[in-house]
Amino acid sequence: MPEPQADRTGAAVHVTLDAPPPAVGAYTVRLEDGTPAGRADFVDPPGADGERVIFHTEVAPEFGGRGLAGILVREALAGAARENLTVVPVCPLFARHLREHGDAYTAGGGRFRRPRPADLALVEQAVKGRA
């Protein structure tokens, strides 16, 4: 299990990468006891090596206000930078974070670009495949 982080309440949480099955992968944040509290969903475009389209972030309402979405954003971005992936932020939370902190992210070795229509079509196809 990865090293725990502390949420705003001081409680330990863990973020894990659930490797993408053929289509959708996720970073999942769990409480110390293993209870899932939230996730950031992504798809790695086939044939576009080196990109990760992050399209949805959700934290269960009962865990709101604890900073878990921010932990997910930071961990997913750090993971993409470690894997040398360009982030494509379709998720509004990721897009806002990169608007506000993109210079720091790129200074630390991360890369990102704006979404294109093909990225949105890929997300739609991936989500339909999950249903």
Side-chain angles (χ1 to χ4, degrees):
M1 186 172 273
E3 288 294 313
Q5 296 187 45
D7 69 10
R8 288 185 185 146
T9 70
V13 297
H14 298 269
V15 177
T16 57
L17 171 61
D18 300 329
V24 178
Y27 281 87
T28 304
V29 62
R30 298 179 193 287
L31 305 183
E32 186 68 17
D33 68 2
T35 302
R39 60 187 289 128
D41 295 328
F42 65 86
V43 62
D44 293 340
D49 288 343
E51 292 191 338
R52 176 158 290 160
V53 179
I54 303 175
F55 64 89
H56 180 72
T57 305
E58 184 174 354
V59 172
E62 62 268 28
F63 303 114
R66 294 175 59 168
L68 299 178
I71 290 171
L72 278 169
V73 168
R74 289 186 298 277
E75 283 298 309
L77 291 175
R82 279 191 303 275
E83 293 181 53
N84 202 29
L85 298 171
T86 298
V87 171
V88 181
V90 172
C91 171
L93 181 67
F94 276 81
R96 183 174 57 246
H97 181 87
L98 288 168
R99 268 194 311 275
E100 295 171 3
H101 305 287
D103 289 342
Y105 181 62
T106 57
R111 295 188 320 267
F112 68 97
R113 68 167 176 79
R114 294 179 64 132
R116 300 178 187 133
D119 301 315
L120 302 176
L122 175 68
V123 167
E124 185 176 325
Q125 178 183 5
V127 170
K128 281 182 183 176
R130 264 191 344 186

